[in-house]
Short mmCIF file of all heavy atoms in Angstrom, two decimals:
data_model
loop_
_atom_site.label_atom_id
_atom_site.label_comp_id
_atom_site.label_asym_id
_atom_site.label_seq_id
_atom_site.Cartn_x
_atom_site.Cartn_y
_atom_site.Cartn_z
N MET A 1 212.61 75.39 134.77
CA MET A 1 211.66 76.32 135.35
C MET A 1 210.94 75.67 136.52
O MET A 1 210.75 74.46 136.52
CB MET A 1 210.66 76.78 134.29
CG MET A 1 211.24 77.67 133.27
SD MET A 1 210.01 78.18 132.07
CE MET A 1 210.47 77.06 130.74
N ILE A 2 210.56 76.47 137.46
CA ILE A 2 209.85 75.98 138.64
C ILE A 2 208.45 76.56 138.62
O ILE A 2 208.26 77.76 138.39
CB ILE A 2 210.58 76.39 139.92
CG1 ILE A 2 211.97 75.76 139.97
CG2 ILE A 2 209.77 76.03 141.15
CD1 ILE A 2 212.82 76.19 141.12
N TYR A 3 207.47 75.69 138.89
CA TYR A 3 206.06 76.10 138.93
C TYR A 3 205.44 75.69 140.24
O TYR A 3 205.74 74.60 140.77
CB TYR A 3 205.26 75.45 137.80
CG TYR A 3 205.67 75.96 136.41
CD1 TYR A 3 206.71 75.38 135.74
CD2 TYR A 3 205.02 77.06 135.86
CE1 TYR A 3 207.10 75.81 134.48
CE2 TYR A 3 205.39 77.49 134.61
CZ TYR A 3 206.43 76.89 133.91
OH TYR A 3 206.80 77.35 132.66
N THR A 4 204.55 76.50 140.75
CA THR A 4 203.73 76.12 141.87
C THR A 4 202.34 75.82 141.34
O THR A 4 201.75 76.66 140.65
CB THR A 4 203.62 77.25 142.95
OG1 THR A 4 204.94 77.49 143.44
CG2 THR A 4 202.68 76.86 144.06
N VAL A 5 201.87 74.61 141.57
CA VAL A 5 200.57 74.18 141.07
C VAL A 5 199.62 73.95 142.27
O VAL A 5 199.96 73.22 143.18
CB VAL A 5 200.69 72.87 140.24
CG1 VAL A 5 199.37 72.43 139.69
CG2 VAL A 5 201.72 73.04 139.13
N SER A 6 198.47 74.59 142.24
CA SER A 6 197.50 74.47 143.32
C SER A 6 196.34 73.57 142.90
O SER A 6 195.88 73.60 141.77
CB SER A 6 196.93 75.86 143.68
OG SER A 6 197.98 76.69 144.12
N PHE A 7 195.91 72.75 143.86
CA PHE A 7 194.79 71.84 143.63
C PHE A 7 193.71 72.06 144.65
O PHE A 7 193.94 72.57 145.73
CB PHE A 7 195.26 70.37 143.78
CG PHE A 7 196.24 69.92 142.76
CD1 PHE A 7 197.59 70.04 142.95
CD2 PHE A 7 195.78 69.37 141.57
CE1 PHE A 7 198.50 69.61 142.01
CE2 PHE A 7 196.67 68.94 140.61
CZ PHE A 7 198.03 69.07 140.82
N LYS A 8 192.50 71.64 144.29
CA LYS A 8 191.40 71.62 145.23
C LYS A 8 190.85 70.19 145.17
O LYS A 8 190.55 69.64 144.11
CB LYS A 8 190.29 72.58 144.78
CG LYS A 8 189.05 72.53 145.63
CD LYS A 8 188.00 73.49 145.09
CE LYS A 8 186.68 73.35 145.78
NZ LYS A 8 185.64 74.20 145.19
N GLU A 9 190.74 69.56 146.35
CA GLU A 9 190.25 68.19 146.39
C GLU A 9 188.94 68.17 147.20
O GLU A 9 188.87 68.73 148.29
CB GLU A 9 191.27 67.26 147.06
CG GLU A 9 190.78 65.83 147.15
CD GLU A 9 191.81 64.89 147.79
OE1 GLU A 9 192.64 65.39 148.57
OE2 GLU A 9 191.76 63.71 147.49
N ILE A 10 187.96 67.52 146.64
CA ILE A 10 186.66 67.33 147.32
C ILE A 10 186.49 65.83 147.49
O ILE A 10 186.57 65.05 146.54
CB ILE A 10 185.49 67.89 146.47
CG1 ILE A 10 185.70 69.39 146.24
CG2 ILE A 10 184.17 67.62 147.17
CD1 ILE A 10 184.74 70.01 145.28
N LYS A 11 186.27 65.43 148.75
CA LYS A 11 186.07 63.99 149.04
C LYS A 11 184.63 63.76 149.49
O LYS A 11 184.02 64.59 150.19
CB LYS A 11 187.01 63.57 150.17
CG LYS A 11 188.46 63.52 149.79
CD LYS A 11 189.27 62.98 150.94
CE LYS A 11 190.70 62.77 150.57
NZ LYS A 11 191.46 62.19 151.67
N TYR A 12 184.12 62.61 149.15
CA TYR A 12 182.80 62.19 149.57
C TYR A 12 182.92 60.90 150.37
O TYR A 12 183.53 59.95 149.90
CB TYR A 12 181.88 61.97 148.37
CG TYR A 12 181.74 63.20 147.51
CD1 TYR A 12 182.58 63.40 146.42
CD2 TYR A 12 180.78 64.15 147.81
CE1 TYR A 12 182.45 64.54 145.64
CE2 TYR A 12 180.65 65.29 147.04
CZ TYR A 12 181.50 65.48 145.95
OH TYR A 12 181.38 66.62 145.19
N GLY A 13 182.39 60.88 151.56
CA GLY A 13 182.47 59.69 152.40
C GLY A 13 181.36 59.67 153.41
O GLY A 13 180.49 60.55 153.45
N SER A 14 181.43 58.67 154.28
CA SER A 14 180.41 58.54 155.32
C SER A 14 180.99 57.87 156.54
O SER A 14 182.01 57.24 156.52
CB SER A 14 179.20 57.74 154.79
OG SER A 14 179.61 56.42 154.49
N VAL A 15 180.27 58.06 157.64
CA VAL A 15 180.58 57.41 158.90
C VAL A 15 179.24 57.09 159.56
O VAL A 15 178.25 57.81 159.41
CB VAL A 15 181.47 58.32 159.79
CG1 VAL A 15 180.75 59.58 160.18
CG2 VAL A 15 181.93 57.58 161.03
N THR A 16 179.19 55.94 160.24
CA THR A 16 177.98 55.52 160.91
C THR A 16 178.14 55.75 162.42
O THR A 16 179.13 55.32 162.97
CB THR A 16 177.66 54.05 160.63
OG1 THR A 16 177.52 53.87 159.22
CG2 THR A 16 176.37 53.63 161.31
N VAL A 17 177.19 56.47 163.03
CA VAL A 17 177.23 56.73 164.47
C VAL A 17 175.90 56.36 165.09
O VAL A 17 174.86 56.34 164.42
CB VAL A 17 177.57 58.21 164.78
CG1 VAL A 17 178.95 58.55 164.26
CG2 VAL A 17 176.53 59.13 164.20
N GLU A 18 175.90 56.10 166.38
CA GLU A 18 174.67 55.84 167.11
C GLU A 18 174.41 57.08 167.97
O GLU A 18 175.26 57.48 168.76
CB GLU A 18 174.84 54.60 168.03
CG GLU A 18 173.58 54.21 168.72
CD GLU A 18 173.72 52.92 169.50
OE1 GLU A 18 174.53 52.08 169.07
OE2 GLU A 18 173.05 52.79 170.53
N ALA A 19 173.24 57.68 167.76
CA ALA A 19 172.93 58.94 168.45
C ALA A 19 171.42 59.01 168.75
O ALA A 19 170.64 58.31 168.19
CB ALA A 19 173.33 60.11 167.53
N ARG A 20 171.07 59.95 169.67
CA ARG A 20 169.68 60.16 170.06
C ARG A 20 168.98 61.21 169.23
O ARG A 20 167.77 61.32 169.28
CB ARG A 20 169.63 60.55 171.56
CG ARG A 20 169.97 59.40 172.46
CD ARG A 20 169.86 59.83 173.93
NE ARG A 20 171.07 59.35 174.60
CZ ARG A 20 172.01 60.17 175.09
NH1 ARG A 20 171.89 61.45 175.05
NH2 ARG A 20 173.10 59.65 175.63
N SER A 21 169.77 61.99 168.45
CA SER A 21 169.15 63.08 167.66
C SER A 21 170.08 63.38 166.49
O SER A 21 171.22 62.96 166.44
CB SER A 21 168.99 64.33 168.51
OG SER A 21 170.23 64.89 168.86
N THR A 22 169.51 64.16 165.55
CA THR A 22 170.29 64.61 164.39
C THR A 22 171.48 65.44 164.82
O THR A 22 172.58 65.27 164.31
CB THR A 22 169.40 65.41 163.43
OG1 THR A 22 168.29 64.60 163.06
CG2 THR A 22 170.16 65.86 162.21
N GLY A 23 171.25 66.32 165.76
CA GLY A 23 172.32 67.21 166.26
C GLY A 23 173.44 66.40 166.88
O GLY A 23 174.63 66.67 166.64
N GLU A 24 173.10 65.41 167.70
CA GLU A 24 174.10 64.58 168.32
C GLU A 24 174.83 63.77 167.26
O GLU A 24 176.06 63.58 167.34
CB GLU A 24 173.48 63.65 169.37
CG GLU A 24 174.50 62.80 170.08
CD GLU A 24 173.93 61.79 171.05
OE1 GLU A 24 172.73 61.44 170.93
OE2 GLU A 24 174.69 61.34 171.93
N ALA A 25 174.12 63.30 166.23
CA ALA A 25 174.74 62.53 165.16
C ALA A 25 175.80 63.37 164.45
O ALA A 25 176.89 62.89 164.12
CB ALA A 25 173.69 62.05 164.17
N LYS A 26 175.48 64.63 164.21
CA LYS A 26 176.46 65.53 163.53
C LYS A 26 177.71 65.73 164.40
O LYS A 26 178.84 65.69 163.91
CB LYS A 26 175.81 66.89 163.26
CG LYS A 26 174.79 66.84 162.13
CD LYS A 26 174.18 68.22 161.89
CE LYS A 26 173.13 68.17 160.80
NZ LYS A 26 172.52 69.50 160.55
N ILE A 27 177.49 65.94 165.72
CA ILE A 27 178.64 66.11 166.63
C ILE A 27 179.52 64.83 166.63
O ILE A 27 180.73 64.93 166.52
CB ILE A 27 178.15 66.47 168.04
CG1 ILE A 27 177.55 67.85 168.05
CG2 ILE A 27 179.30 66.36 169.05
CD1 ILE A 27 176.77 68.18 169.31
N LEU A 28 178.86 63.68 166.74
CA LEU A 28 179.63 62.43 166.79
C LEU A 28 180.33 62.16 165.46
O LEU A 28 181.47 61.67 165.44
CB LEU A 28 178.70 61.28 167.16
CG LEU A 28 178.12 61.33 168.56
CD1 LEU A 28 177.06 60.22 168.75
CD2 LEU A 28 179.20 61.20 169.63
N ALA A 29 179.68 62.52 164.35
CA ALA A 29 180.31 62.31 163.04
C ALA A 29 181.54 63.22 162.91
O ALA A 29 182.56 62.77 162.37
CB ALA A 29 179.29 62.60 161.94
N GLU A 30 181.46 64.45 163.38
CA GLU A 30 182.64 65.34 163.31
C GLU A 30 183.78 64.79 164.17
O GLU A 30 184.94 64.89 163.79
CB GLU A 30 182.24 66.74 163.80
CG GLU A 30 181.38 67.50 162.76
CD GLU A 30 180.94 68.85 163.25
OE1 GLU A 30 181.15 69.19 164.43
OE2 GLU A 30 180.31 69.55 162.42
N GLN A 31 183.46 64.19 165.33
CA GLN A 31 184.46 63.61 166.17
C GLN A 31 185.14 62.41 165.46
O GLN A 31 186.37 62.28 165.48
CB GLN A 31 183.88 63.13 167.49
CG GLN A 31 183.48 64.28 168.39
CD GLN A 31 182.72 63.84 169.63
OE1 GLN A 31 182.41 62.65 169.80
NE2 GLN A 31 182.39 64.78 170.50
N GLU A 32 184.33 61.60 164.79
CA GLU A 32 184.89 60.46 164.05
C GLU A 32 185.76 60.94 162.88
O GLU A 32 186.77 60.37 162.60
CB GLU A 32 183.77 59.55 163.54
CG GLU A 32 183.05 58.79 164.67
CD GLU A 32 183.98 57.95 165.50
OE1 GLU A 32 184.76 57.18 164.94
OE2 GLU A 32 183.95 58.07 166.75
N TYR A 33 185.32 62.03 162.23
CA TYR A 33 186.10 62.60 161.14
C TYR A 33 187.46 63.05 161.65
O TYR A 33 188.50 62.79 161.05
CB TYR A 33 185.36 63.81 160.54
CG TYR A 33 186.20 64.61 159.57
CD1 TYR A 33 186.37 64.19 158.26
CD2 TYR A 33 186.81 65.77 159.99
CE1 TYR A 33 187.18 64.93 157.39
CE2 TYR A 33 187.60 66.50 159.13
CZ TYR A 33 187.77 66.06 157.82
OH TYR A 33 188.56 66.78 156.97
N SER A 34 187.47 63.71 162.82
CA SER A 34 188.72 64.19 163.42
C SER A 34 189.68 63.02 163.77
O SER A 34 190.90 63.19 163.74
CB SER A 34 188.45 64.98 164.69
OG SER A 34 187.73 66.14 164.38
N LYS A 35 189.12 61.86 164.04
CA LYS A 35 189.91 60.68 164.36
C LYS A 35 190.36 59.92 163.13
O LYS A 35 191.11 58.95 163.23
CB LYS A 35 189.11 59.72 165.26
CG LYS A 35 188.74 60.26 166.62
CD LYS A 35 187.89 59.26 167.35
CE LYS A 35 187.27 59.81 168.60
NZ LYS A 35 186.35 58.85 169.22
N GLY A 36 189.85 60.34 161.96
CA GLY A 36 190.24 59.68 160.71
C GLY A 36 189.38 58.43 160.43
O GLY A 36 189.79 57.57 159.65
N ASN A 37 188.21 58.37 161.04
CA ASN A 37 187.34 57.17 160.89
C ASN A 37 186.26 57.34 159.83
O ASN A 37 185.11 56.90 160.06
CB ASN A 37 186.72 56.83 162.23
CG ASN A 37 187.76 56.38 163.23
OD1 ASN A 37 188.81 55.82 162.86
ND2 ASN A 37 187.50 56.65 164.49
N VAL A 38 186.57 57.97 158.69
CA VAL A 38 185.58 58.15 157.65
C VAL A 38 185.88 57.14 156.53
O VAL A 38 187.02 56.95 156.15
CB VAL A 38 185.63 59.59 157.10
CG1 VAL A 38 184.69 59.75 155.91
CG2 VAL A 38 185.27 60.60 158.19
N CYS A 39 184.82 56.54 156.02
CA CYS A 39 184.96 55.62 154.88
C CYS A 39 184.82 56.46 153.61
O CYS A 39 183.71 56.87 153.24
CB CYS A 39 183.89 54.55 154.93
SG CYS A 39 183.97 53.43 153.55
N TRP A 40 185.95 56.78 152.97
CA TRP A 40 185.93 57.63 151.77
C TRP A 40 185.54 56.82 150.57
O TRP A 40 186.07 55.75 150.34
CB TRP A 40 187.29 58.29 151.54
CG TRP A 40 187.65 59.19 152.67
CD1 TRP A 40 188.61 58.99 153.62
CD2 TRP A 40 187.06 60.45 153.01
NE1 TRP A 40 188.63 60.02 154.50
CE2 TRP A 40 187.70 60.95 154.13
CE3 TRP A 40 186.04 61.19 152.41
CZ2 TRP A 40 187.35 62.16 154.71
CZ3 TRP A 40 185.69 62.41 152.99
CH2 TRP A 40 186.34 62.89 154.13
N LYS A 41 184.55 57.30 149.82
CA LYS A 41 184.01 56.58 148.67
C LYS A 41 184.46 57.16 147.32
O LYS A 41 184.67 56.43 146.37
CB LYS A 41 182.50 56.55 148.74
CG LYS A 41 181.95 55.76 149.93
CD LYS A 41 180.45 55.83 149.97
CE LYS A 41 179.80 54.96 151.01
NZ LYS A 41 180.26 55.02 152.35
N ASP A 42 184.57 58.44 147.26
CA ASP A 42 184.84 59.07 145.96
C ASP A 42 185.55 60.41 146.23
O ASP A 42 185.42 60.99 147.30
CB ASP A 42 183.54 59.30 145.21
CG ASP A 42 183.74 59.59 143.73
OD1 ASP A 42 184.86 59.44 143.24
OD2 ASP A 42 182.75 59.94 143.07
N SER A 43 186.24 60.90 145.23
CA SER A 43 186.85 62.23 145.34
C SER A 43 186.96 62.85 143.98
O SER A 43 186.90 62.19 142.95
CB SER A 43 188.23 62.13 146.01
OG SER A 43 189.12 61.42 145.17
N ALA A 44 187.09 64.16 143.98
CA ALA A 44 187.29 64.92 142.75
C ALA A 44 188.41 65.90 142.98
O ALA A 44 188.52 66.51 144.04
CB ALA A 44 186.00 65.66 142.37
N VAL A 45 189.29 66.02 142.01
CA VAL A 45 190.42 66.93 142.11
C VAL A 45 190.37 67.93 140.97
O VAL A 45 190.20 67.54 139.80
CB VAL A 45 191.76 66.16 142.09
CG1 VAL A 45 192.93 67.11 142.14
CG2 VAL A 45 191.86 65.17 143.23
N ASP A 46 190.48 69.20 141.30
CA ASP A 46 190.46 70.26 140.29
C ASP A 46 191.80 70.96 140.34
O ASP A 46 192.30 71.34 141.40
CB ASP A 46 189.40 71.30 140.58
CG ASP A 46 187.99 70.74 140.39
OD1 ASP A 46 187.81 69.87 139.54
OD2 ASP A 46 187.07 71.19 141.11
N LEU A 47 192.41 71.19 139.17
CA LEU A 47 193.60 71.99 139.08
C LEU A 47 193.17 73.44 139.17
O LEU A 47 192.33 73.89 138.41
CB LEU A 47 194.29 71.73 137.73
CG LEU A 47 195.51 72.58 137.43
CD1 LEU A 47 196.61 72.24 138.38
CD2 LEU A 47 195.97 72.34 136.00
N ARG A 48 193.70 74.18 140.16
CA ARG A 48 193.23 75.53 140.41
C ARG A 48 194.08 76.57 139.72
O ARG A 48 193.57 77.52 139.17
CB ARG A 48 193.18 75.79 141.92
CG ARG A 48 192.32 74.83 142.70
CD ARG A 48 190.93 74.73 142.17
NE ARG A 48 190.19 75.89 142.51
CZ ARG A 48 188.93 76.11 142.19
NH1 ARG A 48 188.28 75.27 141.46
NH2 ARG A 48 188.31 77.22 142.54
N SER A 49 195.41 76.42 139.80
CA SER A 49 196.25 77.45 139.16
C SER A 49 197.67 76.91 138.96
O SER A 49 198.09 75.98 139.64
CB SER A 49 196.33 78.70 140.02
OG SER A 49 196.96 78.43 141.26
N VAL A 50 198.37 77.52 138.01
CA VAL A 50 199.77 77.20 137.73
C VAL A 50 200.48 78.53 137.66
O VAL A 50 200.15 79.40 136.86
CB VAL A 50 199.95 76.44 136.41
CG1 VAL A 50 201.42 76.17 136.15
CG2 VAL A 50 199.16 75.14 136.43
N ASN A 51 201.47 78.72 138.54
CA ASN A 51 202.23 79.96 138.56
C ASN A 51 203.72 79.70 138.46
O ASN A 51 204.26 78.86 139.17
CB ASN A 51 201.99 80.71 139.91
CG ASN A 51 200.53 81.12 140.03
OD1 ASN A 51 200.00 81.74 139.17
ND2 ASN A 51 199.92 80.71 141.14
N ARG A 52 204.35 80.35 137.52
CA ARG A 52 205.79 80.20 137.36
C ARG A 52 206.49 80.98 138.46
O ARG A 52 206.17 82.13 138.74
CB ARG A 52 206.24 80.71 136.01
CG ARG A 52 207.70 80.51 135.78
CD ARG A 52 208.12 80.86 134.38
NE ARG A 52 209.55 80.65 134.25
CZ ARG A 52 210.35 81.46 133.59
NH1 ARG A 52 209.88 82.51 132.96
NH2 ARG A 52 211.65 81.21 133.55
N GLU A 53 207.42 80.35 139.13
CA GLU A 53 208.19 80.98 140.18
C GLU A 53 209.44 81.57 139.62
O GLU A 53 210.05 81.04 138.69
CB GLU A 53 208.54 79.93 141.25
CG GLU A 53 207.33 79.32 141.91
CD GLU A 53 206.49 80.30 142.70
OE1 GLU A 53 207.05 81.19 143.34
OE2 GLU A 53 205.24 80.17 142.65
N ALA A 54 209.90 82.67 140.21
CA ALA A 54 211.14 83.32 139.78
C ALA A 54 212.31 82.44 140.26
O ALA A 54 212.30 81.94 141.37
CB ALA A 54 211.25 84.70 140.37
N GLU A 55 213.27 82.27 139.43
CA GLU A 55 214.46 81.55 139.77
C GLU A 55 215.65 82.51 139.82
O GLU A 55 215.58 83.58 139.26
CB GLU A 55 214.72 80.44 138.71
CG GLU A 55 213.62 79.40 138.65
CD GLU A 55 213.95 78.33 137.63
OE1 GLU A 55 215.09 77.81 137.64
OE2 GLU A 55 213.07 78.02 136.80
N ARG A 56 216.69 82.05 140.45
CA ARG A 56 217.90 82.88 140.47
C ARG A 56 218.32 83.12 139.03
O ARG A 56 218.33 82.21 138.23
CB ARG A 56 219.02 82.21 141.22
CG ARG A 56 218.80 82.18 142.70
CD ARG A 56 219.97 81.66 143.41
NE ARG A 56 219.63 81.50 144.80
CZ ARG A 56 220.37 80.87 145.67
NH1 ARG A 56 221.52 80.36 145.31
NH2 ARG A 56 220.00 80.79 146.94
N GLY A 57 218.70 84.29 138.71
CA GLY A 57 219.11 84.60 137.37
C GLY A 57 217.99 85.14 136.50
O GLY A 57 218.19 85.56 135.39
N ASP A 58 216.75 85.06 137.03
CA ASP A 58 215.59 85.60 136.29
C ASP A 58 215.49 87.09 136.60
O ASP A 58 214.74 87.50 137.46
CB ASP A 58 214.27 84.90 136.71
CG ASP A 58 214.05 83.61 135.99
OD1 ASP A 58 214.87 83.25 135.15
OD2 ASP A 58 213.04 82.94 136.31
N GLU A 59 216.25 87.86 135.91
CA GLU A 59 216.23 89.32 136.10
C GLU A 59 215.35 89.92 135.02
O GLU A 59 215.63 89.80 133.84
CB GLU A 59 217.63 89.88 135.99
CG GLU A 59 218.61 89.34 137.01
CD GLU A 59 218.31 89.83 138.40
OE1 GLU A 59 217.88 90.98 138.56
OE2 GLU A 59 218.52 89.05 139.36
N ARG A 60 214.23 90.51 135.39
CA ARG A 60 213.33 91.12 134.39
C ARG A 60 212.97 92.50 134.81
O ARG A 60 212.78 92.91 135.81
CB ARG A 60 212.09 90.26 134.22
CG ARG A 60 212.47 88.90 133.63
CD ARG A 60 211.23 88.12 133.36
NE ARG A 60 211.68 86.80 132.96
CZ ARG A 60 211.08 86.07 132.12
NH1 ARG A 60 209.98 86.45 131.55
NH2 ARG A 60 211.55 84.90 131.76
#
């Protein structure tokens, strides 16, 4: 049997930026995130769903 299993992953991390304001810090942090420069500290994974897929020969 074939199943499709869906997951949800939540990651917690941080990045340090030098900025003149909170708004600028957020923009710079998003840029660093896009570059993959986040120090990931923890994560949580939740199983969301399991669905059986129809296979050839499964006539119902």
